[in-house]
Amino acid sequence: MASLTIDLLKKELPVEDESLVLTEDDSVGLVLVDLVNGFCTVGSGNLAPVEPNKQISQMVDESVRLAKGFCDRKWPVLAFIDSHWPDVPEPPYPPHCIMGTDESKLVPPLEWLENEPNVTIRRKDCIDGFLGSIEKDGSNVFVNWVKSNQIKVILVMGICTDICVLDFSCSVLSVRNRGFLAPLEDVVIYAKGCATYDLPDDIARNIKGAIPHPQDLMHHIGLYMARGRGAKIASKVSFGLE
């Protein structure tokens, strides 16, 4: 029944997507959102999967593939890492990704990113990476990254499709529309490079304050909402001459 409902929803709320072939002329930058143990590695915290998850595993595999491709070509990469002070809550979520813990580290297949010269690491203590890029002096790490690398297209992937990825993408699109992000033109979200969490109704009802969050449904809704705000959705991403 759940699968039928999701299929009906996808028919009523279709997400237009496209294949993306990356070339040096595209002036593209890769944005990785919260590929940390606390969201991706089984048993690694309050918001980590409790068992192996196909959607999350696919996201990690695709992130590794594209990150390696970008680094081999010395193209710019920005990786957001969810990282919270232990005494500063982020309602409605339970404590997660506390600074200095394994939860707030990149997943093992991506740990090498921290040593790559073309990679910018940004720890953030909020859902929206754009807001999390604001420094005390009012400057913005993400904006500076776009401008210094003359990025025209950002390719966004990570977790959660309908939360951190969506909020970040919508903020970027709004700022672009106001003319504050030149030369940025397009925000592309890679569907297979994103994932969200699964919280079935029968489990959610036994957790105070929780609401059901069916994974496949919310992943689709996240992509649909982003598409409606002006993002492009990629079903396949490859490098030119692959």
Side-chain angles (χ1 to χ4, degrees):
M1 180 64 72
S3 178
L4 178 61
T5 300
I6 293 172
D7 289 341
L8 289 173
L9 175 76
K10 289 181 177 179
K11 184 177 180 179
E12 292 296 318
L13 303 176
V15 174
E16 180 183 349
D17 57 27
E18 58 191 77
S19 294
L20 180 66
V21 179
L22 303 172
T23 68
E24 189 171 0
D25 293 337
D26 294 327
S27 299
V28 61
L30 177 65
V31 177
L32 301 172
V33 180
D34 294 341
L35 279 122
V36 297
N37 291 316
F39 295 147
C40 305
T41 303
V42 174
S44 292
N46 290 322
L47 297 183
V50 297
E51 60 185 12
N53 183 279
K54 181 179 179 180
Q55 189 182 94
I56 293 175
S57 295
Q58 176 181 250
M59 172 195 66
V60 172
D61 290 345
E62 287 298 291
S63 297
V64 171
R65 178 179 72 86
L66 290 176
K68 286 182 177 178
F70 270 72
C71 289
D72 287 346
R73 293 164 175 80
K74 307 301 180 186
W75 293 355
V77 176
L78 189 152
F80 287 116
I81 296 181
D82 205 54
S83 190
H84 296 273
W85 296 102
D87 57 346
V88 180
E90 187 181 43
Y93 305 105
H96 62 280
C97 300
I98 302 301
M99 290 182 185
T101 69
D102 286 343
E103 286 186 47
S104 191
K105 293 181 180 179
L106 287 166
V107 292
L110 286 173
E111 287 179 341
W112 56 272
L113 281 174
E114 300 204 26
N115 299 315
E116 293 293 319
N118 62 304
V119 176
T120 298
I121 302 291
R122 177 64 180 184
R123 294 187 175 274
K124 66 180 182 67
D125 59 355
C126 60
I127 292 170
D128 185 339
F130 187 87
L131 296 178
S133 293
I134 298 175
E135 299 280 38
K136 290 182 179 180
D137 63 3
S139 62
N140 188 293
V141 172
F142 170 74
V143 173
N144 292 341
W145 177 75
V146 168
K147 292 182 178 294
S148 64
N149 289 288
Q150 289 294 288
I151 294 170
K152 294 181 180 179
V153 178
I154 59 168
L155 176 62
V156 185
M157 44 201 310
I159 192 168
C160 290
T161 320
D162 54 317
I163 305 174
C164 294
V165 171
L166 177 63
D167 282 16
F168 167 73
S169 299
C170 289
S171 290
V172 171
L173 288 163
S174 293
V175 176
R176 180 208 63 181
N177 291 348
R178 290 294 310 279
F180 299 143
L181 260 180
L184 186 72
E185 298 173 359
D186 290 320
V187 174
V188 182
I189 298 175
Y190 180 29
K192 292 180 180 178
C194 292
T196 191
Y197 68 94
D198 191 39
L199 185 61
D201 177 65
D202 59 331
I203 295 177
R205 68 180 60 184
N206 294 316
I207 302 174
K208 184 178 180 180
I211 59 175
H213 191 276
Q215 185 180 48
D216 289 342
L217 177 61
M218 298 310 298
H219 175 69
H220 181 80
I221 289 177
L223 296 174
Y224 178 82
M225 294 295 292
R227 183 70 183 86
R229 297 291 182 87
K232 295 180 178 181
I233 308 299
S235 57
K236 180 181 179 181
V237 178
S238 60
F239 294 96
L241 303 180
E242 270 193 346

